[in-house]
């Protein structure tokens, strides 16, 4: 029996049981689609993580209050690092050339009849330089604006787009209300994507994008929005230092920790992490989540594989006399084995291909949600690979059982 004849036999069997084959392949369809979706969402997640940190220089070091409010044993008795303490670092530490400071709070921003809740980030010039915040229109404020308590604000790109209905450049010079106080718009930031490396409290990158935030001078934020100039009370205060060069990053971290220990009495009371380590950690977390989701999709595949096995077991019983006839005219065991194995593989492959076709509509389906998706050949290959392997693995046992039937017993089967 040639391969062509075997394939023809498989097609006839599938055509004779179209509904059953379709219902059997549903699990494969869903599993393949899920795997492709998971890989696409995982790729989008990894890209978002890279976007979040791409504007941070490799020499940057984030300094934030350790979780629990303290270091060893989680003690909260350690002093807090103040803005003045942090800004002294470039003068007293040999491997640190610049230090930025920030504080964040939430308020409502209003322009005309439009109002929106927004994250307000109070920063100094150094913070903007280290995180590479650049204006799309207008200009950034200066430290002098903070000293003079000038009420100026820089809008994130998306926030300006929302408040001014796409007329972004016209936002410069206009007045908005923050916590009931008027602020003049000095500029609008260039579109960033992700969170642009802007850190929130607790040493973690805040999920809010810099494009959706507004920025004011640090001293203005402390006086009018945050209500605290220390890391130990009010809104969280974080710092970002910049080492002299990439080779100075680790020495700078060591110096900063020692300096913090001298100021606060506990060198572990603040988390001191370089941008590279933070990025690697975030990427690892993203990959772990993707792996877990793929594992869930694999379980779906296994369940559908069991369905294929059950259907083929029924098919073996239904076609017992056919198998007996094939064996009586000289069909070898491997021919019978291959025929049923091809049928299992064909069912799973068809399910996989349908899953791939459905996945082409994933971007459209996800456009109604906030979930990001990046299509890839990798996802299609993994999805199809899983579907084919599932069919072959779970189809082998019924195929082997069919191939072992004795001709006389098969012919006499009723």
């Amino acid at each position: 029996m040639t391969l062509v004849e075997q394939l023809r036999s498989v097609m006839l069997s599938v055509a004779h049981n179209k509904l059953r084959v379709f219902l059997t392949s549903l699990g494969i369809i869903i599993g393949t689609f899920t795997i492709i979706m998971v890989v696409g969402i995982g790729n989008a997640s990894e890209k978002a993580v890279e976007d979040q940190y791409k504007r941070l220089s490799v020499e940057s070091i984030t300094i934030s209050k350790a979780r629990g409010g303290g270091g060893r044993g989680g003690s909260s008795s350690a002093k807090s690092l103040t803005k003045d303490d942090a800004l002294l670092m470039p003068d007293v530490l040999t491997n640190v050339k610049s230090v930025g400071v920030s504080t964040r709070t939430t308020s409502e921003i209003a322009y005309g009849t439009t109002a929106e809740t927004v994250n307000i980030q109070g920063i100094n010039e150094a913070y903007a330089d280290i995180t590479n915040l650049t204006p799309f229109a207008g200009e950034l404020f200066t430290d002098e604006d903070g000293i003079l308590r000038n009420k100026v604000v820089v809008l994130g790109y998306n926030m300006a787009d929302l408040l001014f209905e796409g007329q972004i450049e016209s936002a410069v010079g206009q007045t908005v209300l923050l916590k009931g106080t008027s602020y003049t718009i000095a500029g609008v930031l260039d579109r960033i994507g992700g969170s642009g490396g802007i850190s929130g409290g607790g040493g973690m990158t805040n999920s809010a994008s810099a494009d959706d935030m507004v920025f004011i001078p640090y001293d203005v934020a402390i006086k009018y929005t945050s209500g605290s100039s220390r890391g130990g009370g009010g809104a969280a205060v974080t710092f970002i230092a910049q080492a002299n060069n990439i080779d100075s990053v680790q020495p700078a971290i060591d110096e900063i920790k020692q300096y913090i220990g001298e100021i606060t009495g506990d060198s572990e009371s603040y988390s001191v992490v370089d941008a590279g380590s933070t990025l690697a950690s975030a990427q690892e977390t993203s990959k772990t989540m993707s792996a877990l989701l793929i594992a869930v999709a694999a379980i779906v595949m296994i369940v559908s594989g069991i369905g294929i096995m059950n259907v083929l077991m029924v098919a073996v019983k239904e076609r017992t006399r056919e198998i007996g006839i094939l064996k009586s005219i000289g069909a070898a065991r491997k021919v019978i084995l291959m025929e049923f194995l091809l049928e299992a593989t064909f069912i799973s492959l068809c399910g996989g291909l349908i899953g791939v076709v459905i996945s082409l509509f994933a971007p459209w389906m996800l456009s109604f949600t906030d979930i990001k998706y990046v299509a890839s050949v990798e996802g299609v290959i993994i999805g199809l690979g899983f579907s084919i392997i599932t069919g072959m693995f779970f189809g082998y046992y019924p195929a082997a059982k069919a191939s072992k039937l004795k001709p006389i017993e098969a012919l006499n089967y009723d």
Side-chain angles (χ1 to χ4, degrees):
M1 192 174 186
T2 65
L3 180 61
V4 173
E5 290 173 328
Q6 287 178 317
L7 290 173
R8 183 172 177 273
S9 178
V10 168
M11 295 299 180
L12 288 173
S13 176
V14 170
H16 184 67
N17 300 284
K18 291 189 287 290
L19 180 60
R20 187 170 69 185
V21 168
F22 174 73
L23 293 176
T24 303
S25 64
L26 269 179
I28 297 292
I29 294 171
I30 295 170
T32 303
F33 173 72
T34 303
I35 287 176
I36 294 173
M37 287 280 286
V38 165
V39 172
I41 292 171
N43 288 340
S45 177
E46 289 181 27
K47 184 177 182 300
V49 169
E50 291 173 1
D51 287 343
Q52 287 174 4
Y53 291 91
K54 68 182 179 182
R55 289 185 173 253
L56 276 179
S57 65
V58 292
E59 301 93 1
S60 61
I61 301 166
T62 302
I63 306 166
S64 55
K65 195 77 171 177
R67 289 193 175 188
R72 302 177 184 90
S75 171
S76 59
S77 60
K79 286 178 57 182
S80 294
L81 191 68
T82 67
K83 170 194 171 185
D84 292 336
D85 294 330
L87 295 184
L88 277 176
M89 288 183 190
D91 298 325
V92 298
L93 304 182
T94 57
N95 291 290
V96 176
K97 68 177 181 180
S98 180
V99 173
V101 58
S102 77
T103 183
R104 180 179 296 185
T105 189
T106 302
S107 179
E108 186 178 82
I109 185 172
Y111 175 77
T113 59
T114 304
E116 191 76 21
T117 300
V118 66
N119 281 319
I120 304 172
Q121 184 103 0
I123 61 174
N124 65 346
E125 278 188 75
Y127 198 94
D129 290 339
I130 296 171
T131 56
N132 292 311
L133 297 178
T134 55
F136 170 81
E139 58 186 11
L140 298 179
F141 45 75
T142 65
D143 287 339
E144 186 176 358
D145 287 314
I147 295 171
L148 297 175
R149 304 296 192 269
N150 292 333
K151 296 183 181 65
V152 290
V153 62
V154 172
L155 304 181
Y157 190 94
N158 292 345
M159 185 54 59
D161 186 40
L162 175 66
L163 294 178
F164 294 89
E165 300 178 346
Q167 304 298 316
I168 295 174
E169 294 184 4
S170 68
V172 178
Q174 299 297 322
T175 300
V176 293
L177 291 178
L178 285 175
K179 287 197 171 183
T181 303
S182 296
Y183 285 76
T184 301
I185 300 173
V188 176
L189 290 180
D190 198 3
R191 192 178 186 88
I192 293 173
S195 69
I198 304 301
S199 297
M204 301 296 289
T205 300
N206 194 289
S207 59
S209 167
D211 294 327
D212 302 315
M213 296 167 58
V214 300
F215 299 84
I216 60 178
Y218 177 82
D219 293 316
V220 174
I222 292 301
K223 184 172 179 63
Y224 297 107
T225 64
S226 300
S228 174
S229 60
R230 304 179 66 86
V237 176
T238 58
F239 309 96
I240 187 164
Q242 187 171 28
N244 294 332
N245 51 60
I246 191 169
D247 296 326
S248 302
V249 171
Q250 190 55 52
I253 290 175
D254 295 336
E255 282 187 336
I256 292 169
K257 286 184 175 180
Q258 183 179 353
Y259 179 77
I260 290 173
E262 293 171 356
I263 296 294
T264 67
D266 184 358
S267 61
E268 301 298 324
S269 59
Y270 279 77
S271 170
V272 183
V273 185
D274 65 286
S277 298
T278 307
L279 173 59
S281 177
Q283 288 176 325
E284 189 62 33
T285 300
S286 176
K287 288 178 180 177
T288 300
M289 289 302 298
S290 296
L292 288 173
L293 291 173
I294 288 177
V296 172
I299 293 172
V300 174
M301 285 288 198
I302 292 172
V303 173
S304 62
I306 294 172
I308 289 176
M309 184 169 65
N310 288 335
V311 167
L312 287 181
M313 291 293 287
V314 172
V316 169
K317 285 188 176 295
E318 290 177 345
R319 296 162 61 186
T320 300
R321 290 181 64 84
E322 177 189 332
I323 294 168
I325 293 171
L326 288 173
K327 284 208 163 189
S328 66
I329 61 175
R333 177 182 172 183
K334 66 179 181 179
V335 172
I336 307 296
L337 177 71
M338 182 60 68
E339 182 175 333
F340 281 91
L341 202 55
L342 281 173
E343 185 171 335
T345 304
F346 179 78
I347 292 172
S348 59
L349 177 60
C350 287
L353 290 173
I354 294 173
V356 170
V357 172
I358 295 174
S359 72
L360 297 177
F361 297 93
W364 174 77
M365 288 185 284
L366 293 176
S367 66
F368 298 100
T369 71
D370 293 329
I371 300 174
K372 303 301 180 184
Y373 176 84
V374 175
S376 69
V377 176
E378 174 193 11
V380 173
I381 292 173
I382 293 175
L384 278 178
F386 263 102
S387 67
I388 294 171
I389 291 171
T390 298
M392 293 179 67
F393 180 82
F394 286 96
Y396 181 80
Y397 176 74
K401 186 174 181 179
S403 69
K404 291 177 183 178
L405 288 174
K406 295 179 180 179
I408 295 178
E409 293 178 357
L411 288 169
N412 291 330
Y413 181 81
D414 188 5

